[in-house]
mmCIF file of all heavy atoms in Angstrom:
data_model
loop_
_atom_site.group_PDB
_atom_site.id
_atom_site.type_symbol
_atom_site.label_atom_id
_atom_site.label_comp_id
_atom_site.label_asym_id
_atom_site.label_seq_id
_atom_site.Cartn_x
_atom_site.Cartn_y
_atom_site.Cartn_z
ATOM 1 N N GLY A 1522 -20.791 -20.505 -8.608
ATOM 2 C CA GLY A 1522 -21.050 -21.787 -9.260
ATOM 3 C C GLY A 1522 -19.807 -22.608 -9.513
ATOM 4 O O GLY A 1522 -19.894 -23.756 -9.959
ATOM 5 N N GLY A 1523 -18.627 -22.064 -9.215
ATOM 6 C CA GLY A 1523 -17.379 -22.731 -9.571
ATOM 7 C C GLY A 1523 -17.109 -24.010 -8.800
ATOM 8 O O GLY A 1523 -16.330 -24.858 -9.256
ATOM 9 N N LEU A 1524 -17.718 -24.185 -7.631
ATOM 10 C CA LEU A 1524 -17.486 -25.395 -6.837
ATOM 11 C C LEU A 1524 -18.493 -26.492 -7.120
ATOM 12 O O LEU A 1524 -18.363 -27.598 -6.591
ATOM 13 C CB LEU A 1524 -17.500 -25.042 -5.340
ATOM 14 C CG LEU A 1524 -16.277 -24.299 -4.821
ATOM 15 C CD1 LEU A 1524 -16.450 -23.921 -3.351
ATOM 16 C CD2 LEU A 1524 -15.014 -25.134 -4.988
ATOM 17 N N ALA A 1525 -19.485 -26.215 -7.960
ATOM 18 C CA ALA A 1525 -20.533 -27.211 -8.223
ATOM 19 C C ALA A 1525 -19.954 -28.464 -8.873
ATOM 20 O O ALA A 1525 -20.363 -29.591 -8.547
ATOM 21 C CB ALA A 1525 -21.621 -26.609 -9.105
ATOM 22 N N ARG A 1526 -18.985 -28.291 -9.753
ATOM 23 C CA ARG A 1526 -18.441 -29.460 -10.449
ATOM 24 C C ARG A 1526 -17.647 -30.378 -9.532
ATOM 25 O O ARG A 1526 -17.347 -31.515 -9.882
ATOM 26 C CB ARG A 1526 -17.579 -29.036 -11.639
ATOM 27 C CG ARG A 1526 -16.342 -28.233 -11.281
ATOM 28 C CD ARG A 1526 -15.738 -27.624 -12.537
ATOM 29 N NE ARG A 1526 -14.600 -26.781 -12.259
ATOM 30 C CZ ARG A 1526 -13.343 -27.106 -12.547
ATOM 31 N NH1 ARG A 1526 -13.065 -28.278 -13.102
ATOM 32 N NH2 ARG A 1526 -12.369 -26.257 -12.292
ATOM 33 N N PHE A 1527 -17.339 -29.875 -8.327
ATOM 34 C CA PHE A 1527 -16.634 -30.692 -7.342
ATOM 35 C C PHE A 1527 -17.568 -31.207 -6.243
ATOM 36 O O PHE A 1527 -17.108 -31.827 -5.281
ATOM 37 C CB PHE A 1527 -15.509 -29.872 -6.696
ATOM 38 C CG PHE A 1527 -14.478 -29.366 -7.665
ATOM 39 C CD1 PHE A 1527 -14.361 -28.009 -7.932
ATOM 40 C CD2 PHE A 1527 -13.627 -30.248 -8.318
ATOM 41 C CE1 PHE A 1527 -13.404 -27.539 -8.813
ATOM 42 C CE2 PHE A 1527 -12.666 -29.790 -9.214
ATOM 43 C CZ PHE A 1527 -12.555 -28.426 -9.467
ATOM 44 N N GLY A 1528 -18.852 -30.943 -6.394
ATOM 45 C CA GLY A 1528 -19.798 -31.359 -5.362
ATOM 46 C C GLY A 1528 -19.612 -30.587 -4.069
ATOM 47 O O GLY A 1528 -19.940 -31.075 -2.985
ATOM 48 N N LEU A 1529 -19.114 -29.355 -4.178
ATOM 49 C CA LEU A 1529 -18.856 -28.530 -3.003
ATOM 50 C C LEU A 1529 -19.701 -27.254 -3.012
ATOM 51 O O LEU A 1529 -19.419 -26.309 -2.273
ATOM 52 C CB LEU A 1529 -17.371 -28.173 -2.921
ATOM 53 C CG LEU A 1529 -16.434 -29.334 -2.572
ATOM 54 C CD1 LEU A 1529 -14.973 -28.958 -2.800
ATOM 55 C CD2 LEU A 1529 -16.652 -29.789 -1.129
ATOM 56 N N ASP A 1530 -20.728 -27.209 -3.840
ATOM 57 C CA ASP A 1530 -21.671 -26.107 -3.824
ATOM 58 C C ASP A 1530 -22.630 -26.269 -2.647
ATOM 59 O O ASP A 1530 -22.687 -27.327 -2.017
ATOM 60 C CB ASP A 1530 -22.467 -26.080 -5.128
ATOM 61 C CG ASP A 1530 -23.151 -27.416 -5.403
ATOM 62 O OD1 ASP A 1530 -22.437 -28.445 -5.510
ATOM 63 O OD2 ASP A 1530 -24.395 -27.452 -5.460
ATOM 64 N N PHE A 1531 -23.368 -25.233 -2.313
ATOM 65 C CA PHE A 1531 -24.232 -25.275 -1.132
ATOM 66 C C PHE A 1531 -25.246 -26.400 -1.208
ATOM 67 O O PHE A 1531 -25.437 -27.152 -0.240
ATOM 68 C CB PHE A 1531 -24.957 -23.938 -0.945
ATOM 69 C CG PHE A 1531 -26.049 -24.022 0.090
ATOM 70 C CD1 PHE A 1531 -25.741 -24.189 1.433
ATOM 71 C CD2 PHE A 1531 -27.385 -23.942 -0.290
ATOM 72 C CE1 PHE A 1531 -26.750 -24.294 2.383
ATOM 73 C CE2 PHE A 1531 -28.397 -24.035 0.655
ATOM 74 C CZ PHE A 1531 -28.075 -24.211 2.001
ATOM 75 N N GLU A 1532 -25.929 -26.536 -2.333
ATOM 76 C CA GLU A 1532 -26.988 -27.541 -2.436
ATOM 77 C C GLU A 1532 -26.455 -28.942 -2.184
ATOM 78 O O GLU A 1532 -27.064 -29.728 -1.447
ATOM 79 C CB GLU A 1532 -27.660 -27.460 -3.816
ATOM 80 C CG GLU A 1532 -28.532 -26.249 -4.037
ATOM 81 C CD GLU A 1532 -27.736 -24.974 -4.280
ATOM 82 O OE1 GLU A 1532 -26.510 -25.066 -4.575
ATOM 83 O OE2 GLU A 1532 -28.326 -23.875 -4.164
ATOM 84 N N THR A 1533 -25.299 -29.260 -2.758
ATOM 85 C CA THR A 1533 -24.742 -30.601 -2.592
ATOM 86 C C THR A 1533 -24.223 -30.805 -1.173
ATOM 87 O O THR A 1533 -24.469 -31.852 -0.555
ATOM 88 C CB THR A 1533 -23.605 -30.831 -3.599
ATOM 89 O OG1 THR A 1533 -24.085 -30.586 -4.927
ATOM 90 C CG2 THR A 1533 -23.096 -32.256 -3.514
ATOM 91 N N VAL A 1534 -23.521 -29.803 -0.646
ATOM 92 C CA VAL A 1534 -23.003 -29.927 0.721
ATOM 93 C C VAL A 1534 -24.148 -30.060 1.714
ATOM 94 O O VAL A 1534 -24.096 -30.869 2.656
ATOM 95 C CB VAL A 1534 -22.104 -28.717 1.067
ATOM 96 C CG1 VAL A 1534 -21.748 -28.722 2.556
ATOM 97 C CG2 VAL A 1534 -20.835 -28.730 0.221
ATOM 98 N N ALA A 1535 -25.226 -29.289 1.520
ATOM 99 C CA ALA A 1535 -26.349 -29.303 2.459
ATOM 100 C C ALA A 1535 -27.096 -30.636 2.452
ATOM 101 O O ALA A 1535 -27.732 -30.997 3.452
ATOM 102 C CB ALA A 1535 -27.315 -28.163 2.140
ATOM 103 N N GLU A 1536 -27.001 -31.395 1.354
ATOM 104 C CA GLU A 1536 -27.644 -32.715 1.322
ATOM 105 C C GLU A 1536 -27.055 -33.634 2.381
ATOM 106 O O GLU A 1536 -27.768 -34.440 2.977
ATOM 107 C CB GLU A 1536 -27.489 -33.329 -0.065
ATOM 108 C CG GLU A 1536 -28.353 -32.688 -1.132
ATOM 109 C CD GLU A 1536 -28.126 -33.308 -2.499
ATOM 110 O OE1 GLU A 1536 -27.336 -34.293 -2.583
ATOM 111 O OE2 GLU A 1536 -28.710 -32.816 -3.480
ATOM 112 N N GLY A 1537 -25.759 -33.509 2.603
ATOM 113 C CA GLY A 1537 -25.112 -34.356 3.596
ATOM 114 C C GLY A 1537 -24.834 -33.663 4.914
ATOM 115 O O GLY A 1537 -24.363 -34.288 5.866
ATOM 116 N N ASN A 1538 -25.121 -32.361 4.978
ATOM 117 C CA ASN A 1538 -24.838 -31.571 6.174
ATOM 118 C C ASN A 1538 -25.902 -30.482 6.271
ATOM 119 O O ASN A 1538 -25.690 -29.338 5.875
ATOM 120 C CB ASN A 1538 -23.432 -30.961 6.090
ATOM 121 C CG ASN A 1538 -23.042 -30.180 7.338
ATOM 122 O OD1 ASN A 1538 -23.842 -30.009 8.258
ATOM 123 N ND2 ASN A 1538 -21.810 -29.686 7.372
ATOM 124 N N ALA A 1539 -27.049 -30.850 6.819
ATOM 125 C CA ALA A 1539 -28.191 -29.928 6.835
ATOM 126 C C ALA A 1539 -27.932 -28.698 7.687
ATOM 127 O O ALA A 1539 -28.578 -27.651 7.503
ATOM 128 C CB ALA A 1539 -29.425 -30.644 7.359
ATOM 129 N N GLY A 1540 -26.986 -28.764 8.599
ATOM 130 C CA GLY A 1540 -26.723 -27.635 9.479
ATOM 131 C C GLY A 1540 -25.658 -26.676 8.969
ATOM 132 O O GLY A 1540 -25.320 -25.711 9.663
ATOM 133 N N ILE A 1541 -25.156 -26.904 7.764
ATOM 134 C CA ILE A 1541 -24.054 -26.095 7.275
ATOM 135 C C ILE A 1541 -24.468 -24.636 7.065
ATOM 136 O O ILE A 1541 -25.512 -24.341 6.482
ATOM 137 C CB ILE A 1541 -23.467 -26.660 5.951
ATOM 138 C CG1 ILE A 1541 -22.158 -25.941 5.568
ATOM 139 C CG2 ILE A 1541 -24.484 -26.576 4.817
ATOM 140 C CD1 ILE A 1541 -21.001 -26.275 6.449
ATOM 141 N N VAL A 1542 -23.673 -23.729 7.582
ATOM 142 C CA VAL A 1542 -23.805 -22.311 7.272
ATOM 143 C C VAL A 1542 -22.755 -22.023 6.206
ATOM 144 O O VAL A 1542 -21.555 -22.067 6.475
ATOM 145 C CB VAL A 1542 -23.595 -21.437 8.521
ATOM 146 C CG1 VAL A 1542 -23.532 -19.959 8.143
ATOM 147 C CG2 VAL A 1542 -24.694 -21.698 9.542
ATOM 148 N N TYR A 1543 -23.222 -21.780 5.008
ATOM 149 C CA TYR A 1543 -22.363 -21.737 3.823
ATOM 150 C C TYR A 1543 -22.334 -20.292 3.311
ATOM 151 O O TYR A 1543 -23.364 -19.756 2.902
ATOM 152 C CB TYR A 1543 -22.932 -22.674 2.772
ATOM 153 C CG TYR A 1543 -22.097 -22.926 1.533
ATOM 154 C CD1 TYR A 1543 -21.542 -24.188 1.310
ATOM 155 C CD2 TYR A 1543 -21.911 -21.951 0.561
ATOM 156 C CE1 TYR A 1543 -20.812 -24.452 0.152
ATOM 157 C CE2 TYR A 1543 -21.176 -22.197 -0.581
ATOM 158 C CZ TYR A 1543 -20.625 -23.451 -0.784
ATOM 159 O OH TYR A 1543 -19.905 -23.721 -1.932
ATOM 160 N N ALA A 1544 -21.169 -19.666 3.359
ATOM 161 C CA ALA A 1544 -21.034 -18.264 2.964
ATOM 162 C C ALA A 1544 -20.245 -18.142 1.671
ATOM 163 O O ALA A 1544 -19.128 -18.658 1.572
ATOM 164 C CB ALA A 1544 -20.351 -17.459 4.065
ATOM 165 N N SER A 1545 -20.839 -17.474 0.696
ATOM 166 C CA SER A 1545 -20.176 -17.229 -0.581
ATOM 167 C C SER A 1545 -19.917 -15.739 -0.742
ATOM 168 O O SER A 1545 -20.822 -14.917 -0.545
ATOM 169 C CB SER A 1545 -21.061 -17.707 -1.740
ATOM 170 O OG SER A 1545 -21.280 -19.100 -1.686
ATOM 171 N N ILE A 1546 -18.686 -15.397 -1.099
ATOM 172 C CA ILE A 1546 -18.316 -14.004 -1.334
ATOM 173 C C ILE A 1546 -17.925 -13.854 -2.804
ATOM 174 O O ILE A 1546 -17.088 -14.610 -3.305
ATOM 175 C CB ILE A 1546 -17.142 -13.571 -0.443
ATOM 176 C CG1 ILE A 1546 -17.490 -13.756 1.042
ATOM 177 C CG2 ILE A 1546 -16.766 -12.117 -0.715
ATOM 178 C CD1 ILE A 1546 -16.330 -13.463 1.986
ATOM 179 N N SER A 1547 -18.545 -12.910 -3.486
ATOM 180 C CA SER A 1547 -18.220 -12.662 -4.889
ATOM 181 C C SER A 1547 -18.053 -11.169 -5.108
ATOM 182 O O SER A 1547 -18.275 -10.358 -4.203
ATOM 183 C CB SER A 1547 -19.332 -13.205 -5.807
ATOM 184 O OG SER A 1547 -20.550 -12.492 -5.590
ATOM 185 N N GLY A 1548 -17.658 -10.817 -6.308
ATOM 186 C CA GLY A 1548 -17.494 -9.405 -6.617
ATOM 187 C C GLY A 1548 -18.805 -8.717 -6.930
ATOM 188 O O GLY A 1548 -19.084 -7.622 -6.438
ATOM 189 N N PHE A 1549 -19.640 -9.392 -7.733
ATOM 190 C CA PHE A 1549 -20.827 -8.725 -8.261
ATOM 191 C C PHE A 1549 -22.073 -9.600 -8.205
ATOM 192 O O PHE A 1549 -23.020 -9.394 -8.956
ATOM 193 C CB PHE A 1549 -20.558 -8.277 -9.706
ATOM 194 C CG PHE A 1549 -19.432 -7.288 -9.811
ATOM 195 C CD1 PHE A 1549 -18.128 -7.715 -10.009
ATOM 196 C CD2 PHE A 1549 -19.663 -5.930 -9.684
ATOM 197 C CE1 PHE A 1549 -17.079 -6.806 -10.098
ATOM 198 C CE2 PHE A 1549 -18.625 -5.009 -9.770
ATOM 199 C CZ PHE A 1549 -17.327 -5.449 -9.976
ATOM 200 N N GLY A 1550 -22.083 -10.567 -7.310
ATOM 201 C CA GLY A 1550 -23.263 -11.393 -7.131
ATOM 202 C C GLY A 1550 -23.277 -12.616 -8.019
ATOM 203 O O GLY A 1550 -22.414 -12.798 -8.887
ATOM 204 N N SER A 1551 -24.272 -13.460 -7.792
ATOM 205 C CA SER A 1551 -24.355 -14.741 -8.511
ATOM 206 C C SER A 1551 -25.310 -14.691 -9.692
ATOM 207 O O SER A 1551 -25.579 -15.721 -10.316
ATOM 208 C CB SER A 1551 -24.812 -15.841 -7.542
ATOM 209 O OG SER A 1551 -26.060 -15.506 -6.958
ATOM 210 N N GLY A 1552 -25.832 -13.519 -10.019
ATOM 211 C CA GLY A 1552 -26.730 -13.376 -11.157
ATOM 212 C C GLY A 1552 -25.996 -12.902 -12.391
ATOM 213 O O GLY A 1552 -25.031 -13.526 -12.848
ATOM 214 N N ALA A 1553 -26.434 -11.764 -12.929
ATOM 215 C CA ALA A 1553 -25.843 -11.248 -14.165
ATOM 216 C C ALA A 1553 -24.378 -10.873 -14.003
ATOM 217 O O ALA A 1553 -23.635 -10.803 -14.992
ATOM 218 C CB ALA A 1553 -26.644 -10.029 -14.645
ATOM 219 N N GLY A 1554 -23.939 -10.639 -12.762
ATOM 220 C CA GLY A 1554 -22.547 -10.257 -12.538
ATOM 221 C C GLY A 1554 -21.628 -11.410 -12.199
ATOM 222 O O GLY A 1554 -20.468 -11.187 -11.837
ATOM 223 N N ALA A 1555 -22.118 -12.638 -12.332
ATOM 224 C CA ALA A 1555 -21.352 -13.797 -11.876
ATOM 225 C C ALA A 1555 -20.020 -13.965 -12.598
ATOM 226 O O ALA A 1555 -19.049 -14.452 -12.012
ATOM 227 C CB ALA A 1555 -22.188 -15.064 -12.032
ATOM 228 N N SER A 1556 -19.946 -13.557 -13.842
ATOM 229 C CA SER A 1556 -18.721 -13.788 -14.622
ATOM 230 C C SER A 1556 -17.714 -12.649 -14.499
ATOM 231 O O SER A 1556 -16.614 -12.730 -15.047
ATOM 232 C CB SER A 1556 -19.071 -13.990 -16.100
ATOM 233 O OG SER A 1556 -19.666 -12.814 -16.641
ATOM 234 N N ILE A 1557 -18.066 -11.590 -13.780
ATOM 235 C CA ILE A 1557 -17.172 -10.434 -13.670
ATOM 236 C C ILE A 1557 -16.161 -10.689 -12.552
ATOM 237 O O ILE A 1557 -16.555 -11.008 -11.426
ATOM 238 C CB ILE A 1557 -17.968 -9.148 -13.370
ATOM 239 C CG1 ILE A 1557 -19.052 -8.927 -14.428
ATOM 240 C CG2 ILE A 1557 -17.027 -7.942 -13.320
ATOM 241 C CD1 ILE A 1557 -19.962 -7.757 -14.125
ATOM 242 N N PRO A 1558 -14.874 -10.561 -12.811
ATOM 243 C CA PRO A 1558 -13.876 -10.762 -11.748
ATOM 244 C C PRO A 1558 -14.115 -9.804 -10.586
ATOM 245 O O PRO A 1558 -14.510 -8.655 -10.787
ATOM 246 C CB PRO A 1558 -12.541 -10.466 -12.452
ATOM 247 C CG PRO A 1558 -12.825 -10.657 -13.910
ATOM 248 C CD PRO A 1558 -14.249 -10.249 -14.109
ATOM 249 N N GLY A 1559 -13.860 -10.286 -9.378
ATOM 250 C CA GLY A 1559 -14.220 -9.526 -8.186
ATOM 251 C C GLY A 1559 -13.044 -8.870 -7.494
ATOM 252 O O GLY A 1559 -12.775 -9.187 -6.329
ATOM 253 N N TYR A 1560 -12.357 -7.965 -8.155
ATOM 254 C CA TYR A 1560 -11.242 -7.267 -7.530
ATOM 255 C C TYR A 1560 -11.716 -5.966 -6.885
ATOM 256 O O TYR A 1560 -12.532 -5.226 -7.459
ATOM 257 C CB TYR A 1560 -10.138 -6.985 -8.548
ATOM 258 C CG TYR A 1560 -9.339 -8.212 -8.901
ATOM 259 C CD1 TYR A 1560 -9.764 -9.067 -9.915
ATOM 260 C CD2 TYR A 1560 -8.179 -8.534 -8.203
ATOM 261 C CE1 TYR A 1560 -9.048 -10.222 -10.231
ATOM 262 C CE2 TYR A 1560 -7.450 -9.671 -8.515
ATOM 263 C CZ TYR A 1560 -7.892 -10.512 -9.523
ATOM 264 O OH TYR A 1560 -7.183 -11.657 -9.833
#
Side-chain angles (χ1 to χ4, degrees):
L1524 286 176
R1526 63 192 177 108
F1527 300 112
L1529 290 168
D1530 55 301
F1531 169 69
E1532 288 75 16
T1533 305
V1534 171
E1536 287 178 4
N1538 183 356
I1541 190 71
V1542 172
Y1543 188 112
S1545 297
I1546 302 175
S1547 65
F1549 298 91
S1551 57
S1556 63
I1557 305 174
Y1560 285 87

